[in-house]
Amino acid sequence: MRLLSVFQLTTNMMRGVVLLLVCWSALCAGDTPANCMYEDIRGTWTFYETERSGDNTINCDTLGPIVHTKTFTLSFPDTVMDELNNEGTWTMVWNQGFEVNINERSYFAFSDYEGNFGNAMSYCDRTSNGWSRDKTIRNWSCFVANKTTPVAPHPTRKMTVVESQLQQHYHNDHNMIHNINTMQTSWTAKAYPQHEKYTVQEMLNRGGGVASMLTSPPTPAPATPEQKARVSLLPDNFDWRDISGENYVTPVRDQGGCGSCYTFASMAQVEARIKIATNNQRTDVFSTQDVVSCSVLSQGCAGGFNFLIAGRYAQDQGLVAEECNTYTGNDDPCNTDTSCGRTYVSDYEYLGGYFGACNEEIMLQTLVENGPMSVSYMVYDDFHNYEGGIYHYTGMKNEFNPFENVNHAVLLVGYGVEPTTGEKFWIIKNSWSDTWGEDGYFRIRRGTNECGIESMAVEITAIP
């Protein structure tokens, strides 16, 4: 397993929010309704790259002259080879793009599309303009890529709720809550009056936002005998909030009506790893608004991905303290204090090495050995009303509010076994304030990939 280092430096802030423009049209990729599957991406690609003379403020709105043309073959499960038979690694980034690491360079681009979340066409054999830089985070360039074998465009329709319904106020469904509490005893539900200050759109955002939708989440990779043997030695219960009386997790925060869970989970992961590495001598709280307003790798309040923020953004641009750009929960212009020091991540990965390699056993071992990690899972109607216990999806629907199923990013901090029932669970920090759930946390079934919780963890190790 590759380990990540975090170190602090002072740099100038990336100026403004760079908009992604596709090479073939004037569409903005600030939101990404693209939906590309693994088999769409696997195969041989030609990368067209500009001069490698930029820095991390590079603007790839348009491509300059093409200087480098490379051919990369992406193979199962995560191997890439160039035309000279040099090898590297690659991974899907959800269903919306892919990252290639080869020849001491790293490439990332979103897949191309036309349209919007309600009606889009995905072009999975070509990318939007992307970014490339070397392993030292220098010598930046822009690139665009085409697959050498065409993939038929396919329609994508992630949103089925009409705009007028999204703008209506959210209402607690007391009948659903009653049914949840009478049909099972694993967890309890209640009405949260504070939810009714939000619109349906804002509640959708709280669960991850439309950009986080994943129609076909990966299943956990089968556990090897070695993985099973290692986790058999772990304790039955573990919680980073109480390690010999020490709490290594920063306080629960509230993302409000913005779909910024991906950055709250990402910041919380780096914060916890730094606390562990320094034995609580550093207690950083990093700016989530800096990511919402300034990152070209996320979609602001529409959603984003913890792999790109805890990983690539933290490596490329670095993280700043909360006071350098305090959280507003809005898609505000980038206004981060450029004099603030930045904390960087030197490496990152999906747990297991690539998107789709995660499982319960790897999560258990990594959690105990390295610290809390950001994970993602599907949010259904009933989850908003979670009060306590071990959550599982009941199938209950909210009859008052039209809702889309979205993917929510949160922080895994521990695990355990319910002594009376033997039910296994994960302990997870949410970003819906400490008045929700179990003081801002929730427990969810472990070992069954409940809502996809065991398929999309992101790993880092912080060494200040």
Side-chain angles (χ1 to χ4, degrees):
M1 181 177 297
R2 295 190 295 270
L3 300 182
L4 312 183
S5 298
V6 177
F7 56 94
Q8 188 153 17
L9 294 173
T10 299
T11 68
N12 288 328
M13 179 60 206
M14 178 178 61
R15 304 289 183 178
V17 179
V18 180
L19 298 178
L20 298 174
L21 297 183
V22 299
C23 184
W24 297 270
S25 70
L27 290 174
C28 173
D31 297 307
T32 54
N35 182 28
C36 297
M37 300 296 100
Y38 183 89
E39 289 302 324
D40 295 334
I41 304 301
R42 185 172 72 162
T44 301
W45 290 75
T46 302
F47 281 44
Y48 303 94
E49 188 180 354
T50 63
E51 183 179 1
R52 298 169 176 174
S53 58
D55 60 19
N56 67 351
T57 65
I58 193 169
N59 187 321
C60 292
D61 284 6
T62 57
L63 293 179
I66 299 301
V67 176
H68 307 278
T69 301
K70 300 291 293 181
T71 300
F72 296 133
T73 299
L74 314 182
S75 301
F76 178 84
D78 67 332
T79 301
V80 57
M81 184 176 292
D82 70 8
E83 65 273 17
L84 300 177
N85 294 325
N86 298 308
E87 288 192 6
T89 61
W90 75 282
T91 182
M92 294 281 293
V93 179
W94 286 54
N95 57 355
Q96 297 187 8
F98 60 97
E99 182 182 82
V100 173
N101 293 285
I102 190 171
N103 299 331
E104 299 301 311
R105 291 192 69 80
S106 182
Y107 302 80
F108 171 74
F110 290 103
S111 296
D112 193 21
Y113 70 94
E114 291 178 354
N116 53 46
F117 287 103
N119 185 21
M121 188 67 71
S122 296
Y123 299 100
C124 299
D125 55 1
R126 66 196 199 196
T127 71
S128 302
N129 290 2
W131 305 266
S132 173
R133 39 75 173 166
D134 67 23
K135 285 291 187 179
T136 68
I137 325 300
R138 297 181 177 89
N139 303 312
W140 286 66
S141 63
C142 302
F143 80 97
V144 71
N146 288 320
K147 196 175 182 184
T148 57
T149 54
V151 175
H154 53 84
T156 301
R157 184 178 176 83
K158 293 186 176 181
M159 286 289 295
T160 60
V161 180
V162 300
E163 180 66 22
S164 59
Q165 292 177 309
L166 290 174
Q167 298 312 312
Q168 71 185 35
H169 275 286
Y170 180 89
H171 294 286
N172 284 300
D173 187 338
H174 294 274
N175 185 58
M176 181 187 72
I177 293 168
H178 171 77
N179 289 337
I180 291 170
N181 291 331
T182 55
M183 71 178 294
Q184 51 83 48
T185 59
S186 181
W187 63 282
T188 59
K190 75 172 187 179
Y192 288 93
Q194 61 267 36
H195 286 173
E196 298 193 347
K197 71 181 179 181
Y198 295 114
T199 64
V200 173
Q201 175 70 72
E202 289 170 330
M203 288 296 288
L204 188 69
N205 289 345
R206 281 172 72 78
V210 291
S212 73
M213 292 179 183
L214 186 61
T215 54
S216 300
T219 56
T224 65
E226 293 79 8
Q227 290 170 345
K228 292 179 178 179
R230 284 195 293 267
V231 299
S232 69
L233 303 176
L234 298 177
D236 291 335
N237 298 274
F238 189 87
D239 190 341
W240 277 104
R241 296 173 298 174
D242 184 7
I243 305 296
S244 301
E246 288 285 337
N247 182 2
Y248 293 95
V249 182
T250 49
V252 173
R253 301 180 65 184
D254 190 349
Q255 68 186 80
C258 174
S260 52
C261 61
Y262 63 94
T263 186
F264 278 87
S266 297
M267 300 305 103
Q269 181 174 11
V270 180
E271 291 162 3
R273 296 299 181 91
I274 289 177
K275 284 169 68 71
I276 293 167
T278 65
N279 197 25
N280 269 330
Q281 294 304 299
R282 278 184 61 176
T283 57
D284 303 71
V285 174
F286 293 115
S287 171
T288 50
Q289 191 64 43
D290 173 68
V291 175
V292 170
S293 294
C294 305
S295 174
V296 298
L297 298 177
S298 66
Q299 290 74 52
C301 283
F305 309 103
N306 41 344
F307 174 83
L308 291 176
I309 299 306
R312 198 172 185 96
Y313 185 76
Q315 183 177 78
D316 290 352
Q317 307 298 339
L319 311 178
V320 297
E322 169 66 14
E323 57 267 24
C324 299
N325 193 344
T326 56
Y327 187 66
T328 67
N330 298 307
D331 284 313
D332 296 331
C334 181
N335 192 31
T336 299
D337 184 346
T338 58
S339 69
C340 287
R342 288 187 170 267
T343 295
Y344 289 83
V345 170
S346 68
D347 199 6
Y348 55 93
E349 67 175 7
Y350 281 114
L351 194 60
Y354 57 90
F355 187 64
C358 189
N359 60 37
E360 177 195 6
E361 287 76 10
I362 304 175
M363 291 170 66
L364 286 166
Q365 182 185 358
T366 305
L367 176 67
V368 172
E369 293 181 353
N370 297 344
M373 70 189 83
S374 55
V375 296
S376 301
Y377 67 101
M378 185 76 76
V379 170
Y380 295 102
D381 294 40
D382 62 353
F383 182 76
H384 292 285
N385 297 106
Y386 171 88
E387 179 183 28
I390 302 172
Y391 173 80
H392 65 274
Y393 176 45
T394 63
M396 292 289 101
K397 288 290 187 180
N398 189 316
E399 298 298 329
F400 290 101
N401 309 291
F403 197 73
E404 303 283 2
N405 297 328
V406 292
N407 284 276
H408 190 38
V410 286
L411 186 74
L412 174 63
V413 303
Y415 64 86
V417 179
E418 175 59 42
T420 58
T421 65
E423 190 172 18
K424 301 189 301 181
F425 59 84
W426 298 110
I427 305 169
I428 296 179
K429 174 186 175 183
N430 203 355
S431 52
W432 293 354
S433 88
D434 59 8
T435 63
W436 178 91
E438 297 179 334
D439 298 323
Y441 289 77
F442 66 97
R443 288 175 290 160
I444 187 171
R445 278 183 180 171
R446 172 168 61 92
T448 61
N449 194 32
E450 183 66 43
C451 302
I453 194 70
E454 289 154 9
S455 61
M456 295 175 282
V458 174
E459 166 62 353
I460 69 168
T461 298
I463 305 174

